[in-house]
Amino acid sequence: MAPQSRLLPPLLQVLRRCRASRSHFSTAPSLVSPPSKAVVYDEHGLPEQVLRLVDVPPAEIGDRDVCVRMMAAPINPSDINRIEGVYPVRPPLPAAVGGYEGVGQVHALGPAVTARLSPGDWVIPSPPSFGTWQTYITKHENVWHKVRSDVPMEYAATITVNPLTALRMLQDFVKLNPGDAIVQNGATSIVGQCVIQLAKVHGIHTINIIRDRPGSEEAKNKLKQLGADEVFTETQLDMKNVKSLLGALPEPALGFNCVGGNAASLILKLLKQGGTMVTYGGMSKRPVTVPTSYFIFKDLSLRGFWLQKWLNSDKTEDCRRMIDYLLGLVHEGKLKYEMESISFGEFSLALEKALGKHGSQPKQVIKF
Amino acid sequence: MAPQSRLLPPLLQVLRRCRASRSHFSTAPSLVSPPSKAVVYDEHGLPEQVLRLVDVPPAEIGDRDVCVRMMAAPINPSDINRIEGVYPVRPPLPAAVGGYEGVGQVHALGPAVTARLSPGDWVIPSPPSFGTWQTYITKHENVWHKVRSDVPMEYAATITVNPLTALRMLQDFVKLNPGDAIVQNGATSIVGQCVIQLAKVHGIHTINIIRDRPGSEEAKNKLKQLGADEVFTETQLDMKNVKSLLGALPEPALGFNCVGGNAASLILKLLKQGGTMVTYGGMSKRPVTVPTSYFIFKDLSLRGFWLQKWLNSDKTEDCRRMIDYLLGLVHEGKLKYEMESISFGEFSLALEKALGKHGSQPKQVIKF
């Protein structure tokens, strides 16, 4: 990433002048945010090449705006995909600020704000919205949802994109009852870890598939400590009578696939007659391949899940209720996952880690 | 197939003796069916090797049985698969009689039959049931459904397995309105031809995919005469902006796949956002391959259809109502498809044709 001292590009200078002139013509003294620092991009490309840290001038705080001092925001894979330009929903260019979820403290309120918010309250953009990689954000009060402040801020910053995906996928496709089982691949991912824990809270068993790699025994133990009933490597499932491995567990009616290729085929093999596989990611970059007989005789259904679509469909109240529920579980110690906090000043290092350039790393959460 | 003169195997001789002895000990004179000829198999294998024509002795007609003189029965691919032992639902061995659908005339009625049936009435087993490749069948009255006799008997004999599949698939997955479009591959199959005509009756447009082969222009014209809106060969659809080919037709919300491989991928490409593909066959013997993005961002659903499952689920009345509807369309000239009638004496030739040993041939229908 370019150093912070790099000159602002012409467009941002124009932007700054516009804002300055707007407040100049205002009849009443305007409330303005503090100056901010933001990680932005003007074109799509490799994040390490196109991202820049810029100074953003003070912004006017409108009557119903809330100015928030950001405390923490993660680097999610979908943030990377937006920067690369391969994600279908992206902020407009140029001067797009990176990031999509995060948590901050209320810094200042516009005079006509009706929400019950006070300076110091913790808020998250909910549904999440573009541009959380900056130190101050000023947006309409409707954007912000007040959350409890008695959980680690890393959880408040990351509670939407991954945990909410896990929760919705458990609810939206197949009616599950206590004692039922589900199967998933990519089980060590944060969504995977959340699926295990949320299923457990509801008495649902989980059958988990992980990659074969050095340390897979350790990974198995970690997932079992979270509540996983069974954890298999892909190689372990490379056998004919795979269901014999399930022991007393019921055949799963629902499967979650975030890998594709062989790892998806294993889910199809393990699902019960009439089961459903939901694809929400494709980490192996390999497609899902389905023998015809699985559709006709095994009556499997294959669906997809994209949180973005759900968030777009006027579900704000549902979304916020679920966020509160999830943060409640965090508070009770029933929902946890590994993250690494890193200061905003070290954004480049966090980005490298998020891009996998330092091997397998925990989720990177920027602290401002 | 073994010649008719071949000695009956020991098991069938035993069967004959049992039936004979049962009538011997009966106190009242029993009503019995005429002797019958049947195409049977005692083990799974290649149809031309395991099928035999046998004489079946007269069977007792129970109080509520109906004895039917079969007139016509088709050789369907699923009949072949049952004989090969690769179809999940099969009649018990040994002495399994081939065939699954067909039409006959009422020959004799048990004394306590309550259905409004008279000798000479046309009846079909409905839901269809095992063993239609024989000259006389005696089964409980509940098996039989009286059908209109003013249509060609080949249609009455074949109205369930293929046309009912087409009708159900148009009804069971996506709510379609007049003006909507669907897409299908294998469009020259009987199900494919029925889909085109049934869709047209309901004002639904069809986009059809056929194989590249000599005579594909003639096949296109035939399908268009049946009411197809568009017919493309797979090669024609091997392009980037494939939807530009649709012209004024709406993007299809529903697709039917009976081929797999590339022909299934083309359906996925043509489906609209949120569309559904239903797989009901796999003629290419290649699996269905789905890029992850089709699930996540295009929100496609992939399902399967198996008429057998639907027939098993206590839908007899629905099934019969639809059969009547379909035969009504046949009578009105709105539903037709190519068949070849062949006499029972030439069963071996019909079988060879059904097995594709004489190139592409119409559906083979045995006339008894």
Side-chain angles (χ1 to χ4, degrees), chain B residues 52-66:
Chain B
R52 293 176 306 108
L53 183 65
V54 297
D55 290 305
V56 179
E60 190 181 339
I61 301 172
D63 282 356
R64 294 191 61 192
D65 284 351
V66 177

Side-chain angles (χ1 to χ4, degrees), chain B residues 169-235:
Chain B
M169 291 199 304
L170 282 165
Q171 296 190 353
D172 283 2
F173 296 94
V174 171
K175 167 129 188 58
L176 297 168
N177 295 309
D180 289 346
I182 63 114
V183 57
Q184 66 170 344
N185 60 30
T188 58
S189 71
I190 292 196
V191 172
Q193 292 178 50
C194 290
V195 162
I196 290 169
Q197 295 168 87
L198 294 173
K200 193 176 172 66
V201 166
H202 294 96
I204 312 292
H205 303 289
T206 58
I207 300 150
N208 299 277
I209 306 172
I210 64 174
R211 279 178 300 162
D212 293 271
R213 56 168 174 132
S216 60
E217 277 309 308
E218 194 193 332
K220 276 188 194 184
N221 289 336
K222 271 192 187 171
L223 296 183
K224 287 197 173 174
Q225 276 165 22
L226 289 180
D229 291 85
E230 290 289 354
V231 188
F232 302 108
T233 63
E234 290 186 34
T235 305

Side-chain angles (χ1 to χ4, degrees), chain A residues 288 290 299 301-303 309, chain B residues 288 290 299 301-303 309:
Chain A
V288 173
V290 196
D299 193 25
S301 292
L302 274 66
R303 309 279 301 275
K309 176 172 163 269
Chain B
V288 173
V290 195
D299 193 25
S301 291
L302 273 65
R303 309 279 300 275
K309 175 172 163 269

